[in-house]
Amino acid sequence: MTVTATSVDQPDQLQPRPAPGARAGRLLRLVPAAASALCGVLLYVSFPPRTLWWLALPAFAGFAWVLRDRSWKAALGLGYLFGLGFLLPLLVWTGVEVGPGPWLALVAIEAVFVALVGVGVAAVSRLPAWPVWAAAVWVAGEAVRARVPFDGFPWGKVAFGQADGVFLPLAAVGGTPVLGFAVVLCGFGLYEAGRLLAERRRTRTVRRAAAAAALLSVAVPVAGAVAARALVSDRAENGTATVAVIQGNVPRSGLEFNAQRRAVLDYHARETHKLAADVRAGRAAKPDYVLWPENSSDIDPFAYPDAAAVIEEAAKDIGVPVSVGGVVEKDGKLLNEQILWDPVKGPTQTYDKRQIQPFGEFLPLRSLVGAINKQWTEMAHRDFSRGTRPGVFDIDGAKVGLATCYEAAFDWAVRDTVTHGAEMISVPSNNATFDRSEMTYQQLAMSRVRAVEHSRTVTVPVTSGVSAVIMPDGRITRKTGMFVPAYLVQKVPLRTSTTPATELGVLPEIALVLAAAGGIGWAVGSGLRARRARDA
């Protein structure tokens, strides 16, 4: 009998291997995704504490390369990868004490806004002078992020990475929206100039209008920044004031320091007594007023006489008013409050923080968060209430504006201190929760941008560092280390004039958002007309 061989008797046939060209093609398709994420990382590296501000330009040039002429679906994914590359390392400090969960959740949500910006940039990339429209789209994305969800999270605005850059004077022209627009426009313009140059080499032709638009996209922001230097001045206009900034330090970093509230208060009082002794010995100039940081008295001095006595003794020893950061309860409301404590009259003026921090000072979606992790609801067991009035302390004729910690990230919260008469600004902060992370340096850079934006001296008293004195031109003239007790004393200019940015307020941002909407509308309309023409 003849036996017929079957497949069982034969060795398994090997699957055909993909051709080298097919593998290379698949790898090439991954290049835009990898490039988008890496450009996001490059943008992060441009931020403090590094002074590599100029890396924002190639970051946006690369972002333009991966987005130009993409479909909306591809742009959405590429934009999300850019957002992850940027925000994951930038915001890692949000998980220092509470673990990676909140950090990853925050980044996942914030990157969605960047993804939507990617869709907008891809859409307008087909328009004439597209870098202008695309930069406006980026600013529009930042404007939305600064307002939603939960009153917004402006951290990571491009402007906040430019405190050491040549574009910084533009903050005085139109605030953070104009400064950010200029940087992004320059980056997109650099890509477009390179693309047109490559096209010329291939085709031996030059599209003059497109080339002119690309060159202007680079030249105008730079020329504008040079011209805006005339708006930057540290000249005193209403005399000067000698200010003292107190950094008392904390017993140890982390959330647990709140359990040692009396120690934190004592540390700041002790450093103030040390300053007073140095003044009497001639080792330090006598200040006109003293600025303590946020949370320097987490014990309510209105409810606990022993806390009030500590503050009063320090104020009497130095002999001038002391602005104290306290946690107080009034009419059943918990408030993050600055209290001006006069050495003779006691507490005379107060300012209640208005822009409170979600998941820090109030807990949105409390029941949902508690279901995920009960520990988070226990740490924020009670929500703070918001203040309702701008903070400007009148201290013997000198008007000091107050923007407490997180408020420095919000344009309106700093601007309205100046429109209500502030001649200098103080940003009392508490960064002890975030240990030695980059958060401190990122926030310090915000204060430098605000100094130029409103042409005001800005002081930054921080519980654990870095505390600083910043001139109206953005220069840091005094600063402390981290987690050390220290004081800073300096004579600073008081200024009354206002910059265009102060006068214009939100108008430049509105104009750029409208430009972005107009550009996207134009692009969508053009696409629909082209599709109808093809169908016809």
Side-chain angles (χ1 to χ4, degrees), residues 498-522:
T498 54
T499 63
T502 308
E503 293 294 328
L504 293 170
V506 75
L507 291 179
E509 186 177 60
I510 291 173
L512 290 169
V513 169
L514 291 175
I520 292 172
W522 182 9

Side-chain angles (χ1 to χ4, degrees), residues 58-397:
F60 281 104
F63 194 39
W65 174 73
V66 300
L67 288 178
R68 182 172 170 79
D69 291 331
R70 295 284 178 182
S71 69
W72 73 266
K73 291 181 181 179
L76 188 71
L78 292 169
Y80 197 76
L81 288 172
F82 182 88
L84 291 179
F86 173 44
L87 296 171
L88 271 171
L90 185 81
L91 302 179
V92 67
W93 52 267
T94 59
V96 167
E97 290 299 327
V98 293
W103 162 50
L104 296 175
L106 175 63
V107 170
I109 293 169
E110 293 295 311
V112 170
F113 294 99
V114 183
L116 294 174
V117 166
V119 174
V121 171
V124 301
S125 68
R126 302 174 181 87
L127 297 178
W130 70 265
V132 177
W133 308 107
V137 169
W138 180 272
V139 173
E142 289 189 337
V144 175
R145 277 208 307 126
R147 291 165 175 82
V148 294
F150 314 125
D151 296 319
F153 187 73
W155 222 276
K157 274 190 170 186
V158 169
F160 295 149
Q162 297 295 309
D164 291 292
V166 298
F167 296 102
L168 179 61
L170 289 170
V173 176
T176 60
V178 167
L179 174 53
F181 174 78
V183 174
V184 179
L185 175 60
C186 195
F188 285 164
L190 285 171
Y191 162 72
E192 179 68 353
R195 187 184 72 83
L196 292 173
L197 183 61
E199 181 183 275
R200 178 184 177 278
R201 289 176 177 174
R202 284 195 319 271
T203 64
R204 303 295 180 183
T205 60
V206 178
R207 291 187 289 140
R208 296 183 184 277
L215 292 176
L216 288 172
S217 296
V218 177
V220 170
V222 175
V226 173
R229 290 176 64 88
L231 298 173
V232 179
S233 172
D234 61 1
R235 181 174 58 87
E237 295 175 330
N238 193 31
T240 61
T242 300
V243 301
V245 170
I246 300 296
Q247 177 175 300
N249 202 12
V250 297
R252 62 175 180 267
S253 63
L255 293 176
E256 297 83 358
F257 92 93
N258 282 315
Q260 303 176 53
R261 297 176 298 167
R262 178 55 189 264
V264 175
L265 172 58
D266 287 345
Y267 283 9
H268 286 83
R270 183 173 65 190
E271 197 64 24
T272 305
H273 287 299
K274 179 182 175 183
L275 169 61
D278 287 348
V279 168
R280 287 189 291 270
R283 292 187 293 268
K286 184 177 177 63
D288 296 308
Y289 42 88
V290 176
L291 304 171
W292 285 13
E294 177 189 37
N295 297 127
S296 46
S297 179
D298 273 350
I299 303 175
D300 183 351
F302 298 113
Y304 294 91
D306 58 331
V310 171
I311 298 169
E312 188 167 329
E313 288 172 8
K316 285 183 175 179
D317 194 14
I318 192 63
V320 298
V322 179
S323 179
V324 178
V327 174
V328 305
E329 186 171 348
K330 293 180 180 177
D331 302 322
K333 296 180 179 180
L334 193 63
L335 300 167
N336 185 335
E337 187 168 85
Q338 289 291 310
I339 309 162
L340 187 65
W341 207 285
D342 187 88
V344 177
K345 301 175 184 177
T348 57
Q349 302 172 56
T350 61
Y351 166 65
D352 300 322
K353 187 176 181 181
R354 295 169 294 162
Q355 187 68 44
I356 56 177
Q357 182 183 349
F359 302 100
E361 292 168 310
F362 77 100
L363 194 60
L365 309 175
R366 182 175 288 273
S367 58
L368 176 61
V369 172
I372 297 171
N373 189 326
K374 189 176 180 180
Q375 181 186 2
W376 297 341
T377 58
E378 290 174 349
M379 286 190 296
H381 64 278
R382 187 177 176 189
D383 291 341
F384 279 79
S385 295
R386 301 172 184 273
T388 58
R389 294 178 300 170
V392 180
F393 284 168
D394 188 335
I395 311 178
D396 294 330

